[in-house]
């Protein structure tokens, strides 16, 4: 009984915390709102990875949903090449607020509805299982390892280009900064927890933690000092 009371109380607190955000949850996307093109226009051989990444996140969600409905593979380009993306970093940074807000709205929607929370956990668990079976966006474990390497190169090139060339000399400081930007929302034990190992309560807590991290990034993005730094460096 005590456990049920605690779980119910925590869910109620989560509801109170995020109910004010319900009015800000993006409405279902109408095709005329985001100008959905013929699905073939988004194919990798028609639209480059850089062009696709510049689309609003919610449009990419719609495109992939429609591709799944049509029996087509979803589009995931991964981290890509830093040098190709560098001319558009200002745009990426500017668009991040609306992309964060959209994703935050999706999470808030199921965190304030027990039925949708259960459905989300089931959906995410099935998606994770596809990855385990080598059927995810990056296929096999070897493919995912390659993507990890691509991510590492992207970050190193960004550090070099952004004036943080001392990362090889002071790795512990850069590791600390990365960990501050991405505090763990799972136990650090060299084991990626499978979602079917989590109770519904634990799954909810993890999503709330992720929302908290996004809130911190949104607050930083909106800060005048941070915006000034980006504007001064990216106007060139």
């Amino acid at each position: 009984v005590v456990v049920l009371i605690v779980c119910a109380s925590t869910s109620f607190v989560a509801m109170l915390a995020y109910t004010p955000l319900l009015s800000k949850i993006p409405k279902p996307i109408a095709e005329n709102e985001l100008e959905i093109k013929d699905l073939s226009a988004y194919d990798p051989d028609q639209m480059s990875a850089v062009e696709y990444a510049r689309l609003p996140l919610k449009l990419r969600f719609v495109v992939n949903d429609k591709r799944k409905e049509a029996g087509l593979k979803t589009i995931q380009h991964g981290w890509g090449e830093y040098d190709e993306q560098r001319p558009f970093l200002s745009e990426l940074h500017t668009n991040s607020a609306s992309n964060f807000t959209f994703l935050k709205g999706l999470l808030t929607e199921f965190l304030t509805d027990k039925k949708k929370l259960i459905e989300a956990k089931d959906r995410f668990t099935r998606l994770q299982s596809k990855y385990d079976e080598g059927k995810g966006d990056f296929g096999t474990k070897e493919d995912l390892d390659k993507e990890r390497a691509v991510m590492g190169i992207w970050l190193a090139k960004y550090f070099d280009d952004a004036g943080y060339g001392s990362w090889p000399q002071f790795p512990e400081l850069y590791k600390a900064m990365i960990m501050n930007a991405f505090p763990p929302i799972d136990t650090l034990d060299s084991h990626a927890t499978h979602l079917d190992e989590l109770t519904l309560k634990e799954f909810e807590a993890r999503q709330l933690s992720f929302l908290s991290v996004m809130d911190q990034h949104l607050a930083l993005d909106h800060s005048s000092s941070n915006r000034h730094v980006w504007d001064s460096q990216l106007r060139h």
Side-chain angles (χ1 to χ4, degrees), residues 133-187:
E133 296 167 4
K135 299 177 182 177
D137 296 318
F138 297 102
T140 65
K141 181 181 181 300
E142 289 72 21
D143 292 328
L144 189 56
D145 284 341
K146 289 178 182 178
E147 186 62 18
R148 289 190 177 102
V150 171
M151 178 182 71
I153 292 172
W154 196 102
L155 290 172
K157 284 191 171 184
Y158 172 76
F159 282 155
D160 290 338
D161 199 17
Y164 297 99
S166 60
W167 62 267
Q169 287 76 37
F170 306 108
E172 67 283 354
L173 299 182
Y174 285 87
K175 290 174 185 177
M177 286 192 282
I178 290 172
M179 288 189 288
N180 283 335
F182 297 97
I185 59 175
D186 188 17
T187 304

Side-chain angles (χ1 to χ4, degrees), residues 41 55 76 81 95 105 173 192 215 233:
L55 299 175
Q76 296 290 344
E81 297 290 335
N95 293 342
L173 299 182
D215 281 339
Q233 296 301 325

Side-chain angles (χ1 to χ4, degrees), residues 88-142:
F88 308 104
L89 288 186
S90 178
E91 183 179 309
L92 181 153
H93 188 260
T94 300
N95 293 342
S96 65
S98 61
N99 287 337
F100 270 131
T101 300
F102 168 68
L103 185 57
K104 182 176 177 178
L106 293 181
L107 295 177
T108 302
E109 186 173 18
F110 68 69
L111 281 169
T112 52
D113 186 313
K114 180 73 173 290
K115 181 180 178 181
K116 290 182 179 179
L117 179 65
I118 294 172
E119 293 172 348
K121 182 177 184 296
D122 180 62
R123 184 169 64 253
F124 292 173
T125 300
R126 283 187 278 109
L127 181 62
Q128 190 176 34
S129 295
K130 285 181 63 177
Y131 271 91
D132 293 342
E133 296 167 4
K135 299 177 182 177
D137 296 318
F138 297 102
T140 65
K141 181 181 181 300
E142 289 72 21

Side-chain angles (χ1 to χ4, degrees), residues 37-49 51-52 77:
K37 300 178 181 179
D38 180 80
L39 288 181
S40 62
Y42 302 96
D43 288 345
D45 59 348
Q46 297 294 322
M47 180 178 288
S48 71
E51 290 176 311
Y52 189 76
H77 287 292

Side-chain angles (χ1 to χ4, degrees), residues 31 34-49 51-53 55-56 59-64 66-67 72-77:
E31 292 196 10
L34 289 175
E35 192 180 349
I36 305 297
K37 300 178 181 179
D38 180 80
L39 288 181
S40 62
Y42 302 96
D43 288 345
D45 59 348
Q46 297 294 322
M47 180 178 288
S48 71
E51 290 176 311
Y52 189 76
L55 299 175
L59 174 57
R60 283 178 272 155
F61 263 65
V62 172
V63 168
N64 275 334
K66 290 185 176 295
R67 289 180 68 88
L72 300 172
K73 185 178 180 180
T74 56
I75 300 173
Q76 296 290 344
H77 287 292

